[in-house]
Amino acid sequence: MYLIKYLLSEDERYEKIRIPESAGERFKLFRSLVNIRPPRPASAEFLAVQDEFLKEETASRGITDIADLAPIENGIYLWKGDITTLKCGAIVNAANSQMLGCFQPCHGCIDNAIHTFAGVQLRLECADIMNRQGCEEPTGTAKITSAYNLPCGHIIHTVGPIVSGRLNDAHCRLLESCYRSCLETAVGNNVQSIAFCCISTGVFGFPQREAAEIAVKTVRKFRENHDIEVIFNVFTEKDFAVYSGLLG
């Protein structure tokens, strides 16, 4: 209730919004308000309450530690689950070129989930990075931020290629660059383990099998010269089947 009232008080347009009775509907309202909130500071009291709330929420969903996973091949893991509950060195966020998170209330994309459960501090840090950069994030590159209330150590954000129409070599090179840039960023920041989502295979339209082949090939090649553990995180049975056929 405190968090919702604080967020509602930030904008006079929200003064007529009624707070729902049920806990589930209250969480939807909280998430929606966080999703549409522009990058700006919040009070120390709000952040303290938010941080405690989000950590409790994540703990209630169950945290998976990489130390408890079994590799499918040397240094490489395959795990099906919610990446926001994964404890490892860094998780990868499939971002858009603004790199400020998803502004659509309660949208089902990974960008929305990561920003929701990390906390409002993440959008503000991303905005600071983008303001210093002075332009949108190019496709195929990567940026690292703190993870705030997520169990992982860091978040590495990358913008994947958008495939509209037929898949071509340029799309494939850009997706390979996403994986390589994330790995290089991780190693450059002494991150010992990294979890990849299925970059570009959602609304960005990259075919799942071709994307998985690029991901596995790029990771294997990188690990020939770098000691970093890699988790391929999938959320659907189809993706799990695709990666299972390529690994091990």
Side-chain angles (χ1 to χ4, degrees), residues 37-229:
R37 185 179 187 269
R40 60 187 173 201
S43 72
E45 183 182 7
F46 174 87
L47 294 178
V49 176
Q50 174 214 244
D51 292 354
E52 183 178 356
F53 172 69
L54 290 176
K55 286 173 182 174
E56 288 179 356
E57 281 291 311
T58 299
S60 71
R61 291 181 291 133
I63 294 173
T64 299
D65 194 319
I66 185 176
D68 297 325
L69 299 179
I72 192 169
E73 61 181 60
N74 185 33
I76 297 178
Y77 303 75
L78 176 60
W79 180 71
K80 180 177 178 290
D82 182 348
I83 201 169
T84 65
T85 64
L86 188 56
K87 184 178 181 181
C88 61
I91 63 171
V92 172
N93 178 30
N96 57 50
S97 59
Q98 284 186 305
M99 219 185 74
L100 296 178
C102 172
F103 282 84
Q104 184 175 333
C106 297
H107 191 251
C109 68
I110 191 171
D111 198 13
N112 188 295
I114 286 174
H115 274 263
T116 295
F117 290 101
V120 298
Q121 303 98 310
L122 177 58
R123 180 167 283 169
L124 185 59
E125 182 179 355
C126 287
D128 289 342
I129 292 172
M130 298 308 287
N131 287 336
R132 291 196 301 271
Q133 181 165 291
C135 63
E136 292 191 344
E137 183 72 2
T139 302
T141 58
K143 294 288 190 298
I144 189 168
T145 65
S146 298
Y148 299 100
N149 295 295
L150 298 179
C152 58
H154 298 84
I155 305 167
I156 297 177
H157 309 257
T158 190
V159 181
I162 298 173
V163 179
S164 54
R166 189 173 181 178
L167 183 68
N168 58 46
D169 289 343
H171 296 137
C172 296
R173 287 194 298 271
L174 285 169
L175 186 61
E176 179 184 346
S177 178
C178 286
Y179 282 93
R180 188 174 59 253
S181 296
C182 289
L183 290 163
E184 290 172 347
T185 299
V187 169
N189 287 273
N190 298 313
V191 174
Q192 303 299 310
S193 59
I194 183 172
F196 282 104
C197 61
C198 300
I199 302 168
S200 279
T201 60
V203 295
F204 280 18
F206 209 108
Q208 289 165 291
R209 180 167 185 83
E210 286 83 350
E213 289 172 348
I214 291 169
V216 171
K217 179 181 178 181
T218 306
V219 165
R220 282 175 172 161
K221 183 177 180 180
F222 189 85
R223 290 196 71 259
E224 290 175 0
N225 299 303
H226 301 87
D227 185 20
I228 183 171
E229 293 186 300

